[in-house]
């Protein structure tokens, strides 16, 4: 997106390039905010500097104790999240027990 804005600046179209560059920055920080709400703070530090990376991390699975997962995940998705990020054995047992209900 910023490469397109740079190409537009080279052609002399400053207004469109300005709006496009601001749109890219806002979308990067928006995706970083989504990633932060999913509990991945280490990745947020990288998201701020690498724009394409932030769009990928915003759609990945959230950590089970994050506000995003607690509010938006049903039993199946929470089970997947616990299997991926749950490091304590009791969380795995609780996830399996929830699915059996």
């Amino acid at each position: 997106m910023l490469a397109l804005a740079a190409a537009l600046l080279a052609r002399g179209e400053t207004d469109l390039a300005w709006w496009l560059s601001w749109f890219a920055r806002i979308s990067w920080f928006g995706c970083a905010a989504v990633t932060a709400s999913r509990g991945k703070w280490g990745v947020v530090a990288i998201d701020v500097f690498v724009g394409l990376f932030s769009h990928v991390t915003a759609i990945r699975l959230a950590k089970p104790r994050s506000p995003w997962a607690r509010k938006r995940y049903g039993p199946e998705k929470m089970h997947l999240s616990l299997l991926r990020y749950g490091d304590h054995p009791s969380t795995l047992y609780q996830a399996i027990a929830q699915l059996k209900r």
Side-chain angles (χ1 to χ4, degrees):
M1 186 93 48
L2 287 178
L4 180 60
L8 289 171
L9 275 175
R11 290 180 50 192
E13 299 179 26
T14 56
D15 291 339
L16 183 60
W18 186 84
W19 284 108
L20 195 59
S21 67
W22 273 105
F23 175 74
R25 291 176 192 153
I26 290 170
S27 71
W28 286 353
F29 285 109
C31 288
V34 168
T35 304
S37 73
R38 290 177 178 227
K40 300 177 183 180
W41 292 100
V43 180
V44 172
I46 299 168
D47 285 352
V48 173
F49 298 107
V50 183
L52 293 176
F53 190 68
S54 67
H55 288 83
V56 172
T57 59
I59 61 173
R60 302 254 350 248
L61 193 63
K63 289 189 175 182
R65 292 188 181 105
S66 69
W68 185 279
R70 287 187 307 230
K71 187 174 183 179
R72 292 181 173 88
Y73 283 0
E76 295 86 16
K77 198 120 182 200
M78 183 60 83
H79 175 68
L80 287 174
S81 181
L82 284 169
L83 287 176
R84 178 175 284 175
Y85 295 110
D87 53 349
H88 194 271
S90 67
T91 58
L92 293 176
Y93 296 130
Q94 289 172 358
I96 292 169
Q98 275 185 345
L99 283 177
K100 289 183 178 179
R101 289 184 200 173

